[in-house]
Amino acid sequence: MRKHNFTLNNSEPSVNAASDSSQPIGIFDSGVGGISVLKHIHALLPAEHLLYYADSLHAPYGSKTPEFICERAFAITDFLIAQGAKALVVACNTATAAAVDKLRAHYTLPIIGMEPAVKPAAAASHSGVIGVLATVGTLKSAQFAALLEHYGQHVRVVTQACPGLVECIERGELEATATRQLVASYVAPLLEAGADTIVLGCTHYPFVRKLIAEIAGPQVALIDTGAAVARQLMHRLEDTGMLATGSTQGEVKFWTNSPAPDAKWVIASLWGTLAEVVHA
Ligand code: DGL
């Protein structure tokens, strides 16, 4: 993968992949978390071919600098475009905050990013307190500050970074005792503050939704943005005439650069069915 000097990226968008509707959609995350978004995309757009890149060698992104994450985002986007991607989904809140503006300034293919669901959570809350679980990188970002400014004015927003949780999920330890203890320690301050709505502000966290729900209890709503991102992608593809049509099921292909011996097993188990996984 080549390196980009993204800091000098003040020119016109420069990469214009000629696209047609039969080309695949590229999706990436720091690791396996974005598979939670991939599932929504596949369910909504079954005819689309989907390419998923798990940058697990560099996970977690949450503790990395925005510059490092940009470097990775550009390299992976180049890779996915080289595989024929007609559109890109940054299935990672942390990478969206660090890189999506720069990606959009550089590439002309449709790029969909994600952000923690503060807006719907604020609208849904009855207690007036919402909790946000996210990475350090997301919570520190200017984009998150802007989100709070826009949508967090009429509620109290309690944020909680979750160091170590992404690593548990990368190892496929969704129900392990250590994972449960970690989740409990991160959810407790939100409950103590009176949150009745918790935002899963990292695409890894829906994979421990069951744990979070057990710990938070039935009176607390959990919100993530996977389904909304899939709908946004569909609208962008419709608007640009690139939505795949036909009744044939699209193919889904994974790449991972994880050094873990069971990386392919973790992907297959999170995806839930047999999957073609290539070591990148
Ligand atoms: N899944 C990512 C997100 O949505 C990043 C997690 C990480 O690598 O720290 O923020």
Side-chain angles (χ1 to χ4, degrees):
M1 288 186 180
R2 75 187 148 101
K3 287 203 158 195
H4 280 269
N5 189 353
F6 53 83
T7 53
L8 297 178
N9 183 22
N10 51 8
S11 57
E12 289 297 302
S14 58
V15 177
N16 188 5
S19 299
D20 72 64
S21 62
S22 66
Q23 286 177 236
I25 297 162
I27 298 148
F28 80 91
D29 177 45
S30 65
V32 296
I35 295 172
S36 66
V37 182
L38 185 74
K39 286 183 173 189
H40 285 286
I41 295 171
H42 188 58
L44 187 66
L45 306 171
E48 296 287 351
H49 300 299
L50 305 176
L51 312 176
Y52 184 91
Y53 192 101
D55 195 19
S56 296
L57 180 63
H58 300 102
Y61 279 0
S63 55
K64 307 288 192 307
T65 64
E67 292 73 23
F68 178 85
I69 297 167
C70 277
E71 198 68 66
R72 294 306 305 150
F74 272 79
I76 296 166
T77 303
D78 278 348
F79 175 81
L80 291 169
I81 288 173
Q83 303 302 317
K86 64 183 177 185
L88 180 76
V89 178
V90 183
C92 175
N93 295 265
T94 315
T96 298
V100 81
D101 290 345
K102 293 184 175 74
L103 291 172
R104 287 186 178 132
H106 185 77
Y107 299 98
T108 57
L109 81 173
I111 298 178
I112 311 298
M114 15 215 330
E115 61 186 18
V118 171
K119 183 184 176 187
S125 176
H126 296 295
S127 69
V129 183
I130 68 168
V132 180
L133 300 172
T135 69
V136 172
T138 296
L139 296 177
K140 275 200 323 203
S141 68
Q143 283 78 359
F144 187 69
L147 203 56
L148 292 188
E149 180 75 22
H150 277 107
Y151 304 113
Q153 293 293 344
H154 303 295
V155 287
R156 180 169 169 227
V157 183
V158 184
T159 62
Q160 176 65 55
C162 306
L165 187 52
V166 161
E167 290 91 324
C168 294
I169 295 160
E170 285 290 310
R171 291 192 295 270
E173 296 168 0
L174 306 187
E175 293 178 11
T177 306
T179 309
R180 175 179 285 273
Q181 284 167 351
L182 209 52
V183 168
S185 72
Y186 294 142
V187 169
L190 308 181
L191 301 180
E192 278 158 27
D196 66 349
T197 310
I198 295 180
V199 174
L200 308 184
C202 165
T203 55
H204 281 74
Y205 303 164
F207 286 118
V208 288
R209 176 187 286 270
K210 191 164 153 259
L211 268 189
I212 298 172
E214 276 170 22
I215 290 160
Q219 72 288 355
V220 175
L222 306 180
I223 302 190
D224 73 89
T225 50
V229 164
R231 285 195 299 274
Q232 202 188 340
L233 171 66
M234 182 179 74
H235 293 139
R236 282 296 296 279
L237 294 175
E238 278 170 349
D239 291 348
T240 51
M242 283 196 284
L243 192 67
T245 50
S247 54
T248 314
Q249 182 96 340
E251 287 169 15
V252 184
K253 183 172 178 180
F254 295 84
W255 284 265
T256 178
N257 53 14
S258 170
D262 61 351
K264 292 184 180 180
W265 173 83
V266 172
I267 288 178
S269 70
L270 295 180
W271 178 237
T273 176
L274 279 183
E276 182 186 358
V277 185
V278 176
H279 202 273

